[in-house]
Amino acid sequence: MVNRTRFDDSECPVARSVDAIGDWWSLLIVRDAFDGSRRFGEFQRSLGVAKNILTARLRALVAGGVLASVPASDGSAYREYVLTPKGEALFPVIVALRQWGERHFFSPGEPHSELVDRQQGRPLHALEVRSADGRRLGPDDTVVHKVPDQ
């Protein structure tokens, strides 16, 4: 078996983030957690993923501090998975992926799930990247300052 390349000591925040939650199953588990899934069986039914893969991804998300395994809310012997503050901080990432997917992978008028403001029942405004002074920024407006070689 080939060892997976790790980026947990990379100087790049994107690489470290992908190392923690970069595979599709992990992102879909986080999406389902935002949608209210809490139990192993709920994730398994929603995703149709093999149990061994789901077990491994849930363990990794718990180990990485994205999810916490807690006693079941109904007092049963089961465990539930809940988003931690670190996991909840992924909300803008999930929204950005959703909005990107809506723009690029659906034909006009093609039905798809929709994330709406619970209070107003309306779709969310498109996410924007803004400067510290409020200007809207695009890729050409930014530059990465790399860590100097040592």
Side-chain angles (χ1 to χ4, degrees):
M1 176 184 250
V2 177
N3 285 338
R4 174 175 145 334
T5 301
R6 304 243 359 132
F7 297 103
D8 53 352
D9 62 351
S10 173
E11 297 165 347
C12 175
V14 175
R16 286 191 186 194
S17 298
V18 168
D19 195 55
I21 50 100
D23 74 87
W24 62 82
W25 290 124
S26 294
L27 284 169
L28 293 173
I29 290 167
V30 169
R31 176 209 60 191
D32 280 3
F34 278 116
D35 290 347
S37 293
R38 294 174 63 97
R39 291 199 177 180
F40 185 94
E42 292 171 339
F43 291 111
Q44 211 278 322
R45 278 188 298 280
S46 171
L47 299 170
V49 60
K51 290 180 181 182
N52 63 322
I53 292 172
L54 179 57
T55 298
R57 295 313 186 278
L58 287 169
R59 274 195 195 128
L61 289 167
V62 169
V66 173
L67 294 175
S69 175
V70 299
S73 56
D74 64 3
S76 67
Y78 293 103
R79 304 288 295 173
E80 294 181 344
Y81 297 92
V82 296
L83 289 161
T84 63
K86 184 177 184 178
E88 288 176 349
L90 284 166
F91 183 68
V93 175
I94 299 297
V95 172
L97 282 170
R98 170 179 280 285
Q99 290 180 349
W100 181 69
E102 288 170 344
R103 272 194 305 277
H104 298 288
F105 297 106
F106 288 86
S107 302
E110 183 180 358
H112 57 79
S113 64
E114 188 175 40
L115 184 64
V116 298
D117 176 334
R118 188 183 303 267
Q119 185 178 7
Q120 297 180 351
R122 296 181 46 171
L124 306 184
H125 186 274
L127 291 180
E128 298 175 337
V129 176
R130 299 219 172 238
S131 68
D133 65 6
R135 291 175 293 116
R136 199 159 93 186
L137 300 176
D140 293 337
D141 300 315
T142 63
V143 62
V144 173
H145 288 190
K146 304 234 179 199
V147 175
D149 289 335
Q150 298 172 354

